């Protein structure tokens, strides 16, 4: 990836979409924060020049940068037009793809980037928040509706199982009480577990790291929230199985999600008042103490905190991943390919970058037992 031979270091594709507008704002914010206003040429891309221009004008007003819209390039590009995708990819060192759902629109963008030697970043897991735009809801609807095909693809891959170190991780009941957090929890049905498993496979097979076992859960709080989620989940799982049911789910997201998803998405006030906290409880073995000597003898609790996850934290993570690709090339995998964040950025300073942008990574406790 030779940035000097491309007119733009970054191109935000789908910048006029609900998520894309926030990613474009974050790129503009990164220019100021890193002092790279003149050395980080970038552009926005999409089908409508007028809409892209409005996104830049709103960002200029919000960030107090009146000349922003005249400093950023505009590329007219349509995901259904392969030639336009090629033309976009040829102009960029990195494409930040915000055009989803990716199961329908992701592959043509990746293809154009691969064929033109361009790096590509997308959002590998759908965000959760207080009120979520229906584009994310659509991804969930189609994702659950297509589970059988996903299972078939995974079986066809015929991958060698990753070894299990220590006792096998016990799965909790669909509804369980989490003693660590003093609240009820349910399994998280998003992409996180699959992404972590793929990361562990890469680290084990390529860097000889010991793989970890992983499960993800959502903290639901009290019993009232649990009952509300159970009803929403039952409706969703029933309707998603049928074509007409999926159409109803997509047409009335606010109704079937009990208000969590909407066609308008969250307001700025809602985003400003939202945040997220992830806690990771782990068990393992200290140096010189392995599975052959018994049960895990070390415990650790780590935490990640940050602003509203869907449309504040996600753009921060996406842009900082792009800045890592631009500036830490020597620490990236030497071969090309499709990587999860944990695999691609294993040796980089991405966590340091995120810490500097308001996402706090910390160790809460660590002890031997």
């Amino acid at each position: 990836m030779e940035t000097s031979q491309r007119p733009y270091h970054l191109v935000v594709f789908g910048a006029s979409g609900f998520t894309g507008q926030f990613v474009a704002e974050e790129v503009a914010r990164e220019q100021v924060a890193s002092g790279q206003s003149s050395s980080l040429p970038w552009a926005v891309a999409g089908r409508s020049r007028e809409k892209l221009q409005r996104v830049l004008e709103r960002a200029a007003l919000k960030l107090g940068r009146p000349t922003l819209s005249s400093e950023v390039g505009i590329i007219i590009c349509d995901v259904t037009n392969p030639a336009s995708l090629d033309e976009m990819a040829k102009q960029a060192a990195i494409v930040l793809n915000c055009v989803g759902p990716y199961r329908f629109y992701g592959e043509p963008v990746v293809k154009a980037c691969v064929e033109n030697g361009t790096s590509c970043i997308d959002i590998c897991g759908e965000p959760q928040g207080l009120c979520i735009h229906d584009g994310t809801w659509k991804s969930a609807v189609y994702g659950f509706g297509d589970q059988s095909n996903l299972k078939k693809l995974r079986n066809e891959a015929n991958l060698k199982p990753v070894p299990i170190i220590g006792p096998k991780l016990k799965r909790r009941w669909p509804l369980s009480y989490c003693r660590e957090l003093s609240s009820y929890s349910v399994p998280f049905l998003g992409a996180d577990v699959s992404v972590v498993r793929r990361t562990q496979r890469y680290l084990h097979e390529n860097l000889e790291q010991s793989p970890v076992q992983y499960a993800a859960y959502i903290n639901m709080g009290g019993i009232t929230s649990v009952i509300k989620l159970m009803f929403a989940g039952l409706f969703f799982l029933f309707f998603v199985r049928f074509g007409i049911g999926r159409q109803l789910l997509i047409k009335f997201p606010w109704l079937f999600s009990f208000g969590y998803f909407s066609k308008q998405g969250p307001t700025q006030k809602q985003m400003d008042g939202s945040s997220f906290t992830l806690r990771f409880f782990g068990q393992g073995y200290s140096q010189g103490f392995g599975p052959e000597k018994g049960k895990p003898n070390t415990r650790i609790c780590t935490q990640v905190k940050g602003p509203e996850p869907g449309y504040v934290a996600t753009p921060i993570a996406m842009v900082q991943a792009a800045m890592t690709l631009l500036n830490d090339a020597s620490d990236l995998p030497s071969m090309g390919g499709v990587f999860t964040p944990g695999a691609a950025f294993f040796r980089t300073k991405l966590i340091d970058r995120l810490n500097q942008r308001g996402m706090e990574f910390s160790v809460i406790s660590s002890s031997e037992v």
Side-chain angles (χ1 to χ4, degrees):
M1 179 181 63
E2 292 292 335
T3 57
S4 60
Q5 298 177 4
R6 310 267 173 134
Y8 303 114
H9 288 183
L10 306 177
V11 170
V12 181
F13 179 43
S16 59
F18 192 83
T19 301
Q21 63 181 322
F22 294 111
V23 175
E25 284 181 15
E26 188 59 31
V27 175
R29 194 175 287 113
E30 173 63 22
Q31 284 185 302
V32 176
S34 59
Q36 300 189 80
S37 295
S38 60
S39 59
L40 185 63
W42 65 289
V44 291
R47 293 178 296 178
S48 169
R49 179 178 295 274
E50 291 73 21
K51 289 183 179 180
L52 294 170
Q53 188 66 40
R54 284 199 294 271
V55 167
L56 294 177
E57 290 170 355
R58 284 197 298 268
L61 182 63
K62 185 175 181 179
L63 302 176
R65 294 181 57 187
T67 62
L68 177 65
S69 57
S70 63
E71 298 170 359
V72 181
I74 293 180
I75 300 173
I76 304 305
C77 183
D78 190 333
V79 74
T80 63
N81 184 337
S84 72
L85 292 176
D86 284 334
E87 189 60 30
M88 174 186 68
K90 290 175 182 177
Q91 299 181 67
I94 303 172
V95 169
L96 283 72
N97 183 17
C98 303
V99 178
Y102 293 124
R103 68 174 50 252
F104 298 130
Y105 307 121
E107 186 175 340
V109 181
V110 173
K111 182 175 184 293
C113 288
V114 169
E115 292 179 348
N116 291 283
T118 306
S119 293
C120 182
I121 297 175
D122 63 27
I123 305 166
C124 61
E126 296 295 341
Q128 298 294 318
L130 174 67
C131 177
I132 310 171
H133 188 253
D134 79 320
T136 302
W137 174 257
K138 289 177 182 177
S139 295
V141 171
Y142 289 122
F144 279 94
D146 202 38
Q147 282 188 86
S148 59
N149 286 332
L150 176 60
K151 186 176 181 180
K152 181 180 178 182
L153 287 172
R154 286 175 173 167
N155 289 336
E156 289 175 351
N158 197 28
L159 296 173
K160 181 181 177 181
V162 174
I164 295 175
I165 307 299
K168 188 173 182 179
L169 180 65
K170 294 181 179 179
R171 303 299 181 189
R172 297 183 178 183
W173 288 93
L175 173 62
S176 60
Y177 187 76
C178 178
R179 293 179 180 177
E180 297 89 346
L181 301 177
S182 301
S183 65
Y184 289 95
S185 64
V186 296
F188 177 64
L189 301 179
D192 294 41
V193 173
S194 296
V195 172
V196 171
R197 286 176 178 170
R198 180 161 179 167
T199 299
Q200 295 305 310
R201 175 177 295 280
Y202 174 85
L203 296 179
H204 173 68
E205 294 179 349
N206 294 274
L207 302 178
E208 299 182 350
Q209 298 284 320
S210 295
V212 303
Q213 302 174 63
Y214 178 82
Y217 299 88
I218 303 175
N219 176 20
M220 292 306 302
I223 195 67
T224 302
S225 298
V226 171
I227 294 173
K228 183 178 179 180
L229 178 74
M230 288 177 63
F231 274 105
L234 289 172
F235 273 113
F236 183 88
L237 293 175
F238 176 78
F239 280 87
V240 80
R241 298 175 61 187
F242 311 101
I244 189 171
R246 290 192 289 272
Q247 293 177 23
L248 289 171
L249 288 170
I250 290 170
K251 189 173 182 179
F252 304 107
W254 180 264
L255 174 64
F256 288 101
S257 69
F258 284 69
Y260 284 106
F261 292 78
S262 76
K263 290 184 178 294
Q264 292 75 35
T267 65
Q268 188 63 51
K269 183 178 180 180
Q270 286 176 315
M271 289 189 289
D272 291 341
S274 301
S275 62
F276 76 90
T277 300
L278 300 176
R279 282 194 179 178
F280 301 86
F281 300 93
Q283 296 185 28
Y285 301 94
S286 59
Q287 192 70 30
F289 192 98
E292 69 282 353
K293 295 185 178 182
K295 295 181 179 179
N297 71 326
T298 300
R299 290 179 179 173
I300 190 171
C301 175
T302 62
Q303 181 174 271
V304 183
K305 296 176 66 176
E308 190 279 330
Y311 309 108
V312 179
T314 293
I316 290 173
M318 200 175 196
V319 172
Q320 291 309 313
M323 297 307 296
T324 301
L325 288 179
L326 287 173
N327 297 303
D328 300 345
S330 61
D331 296 324
L332 298 170
S334 57
M335 299 293 290
V338 179
F339 297 92
T340 62
F345 303 120
F346 178 69
R347 299 187 188 280
T348 70
K349 298 178 180 178
L350 177 58
I351 288 181
D352 294 337
R353 292 179 180 276
L354 294 174
N355 271 321
Q356 294 169 8
R357 299 304 189 276
M359 295 174 66
E360 178 187 328
F361 291 71
S362 58
V363 176
I364 302 300
S365 63
S366 179
S367 62
E368 292 190 11
V369 294

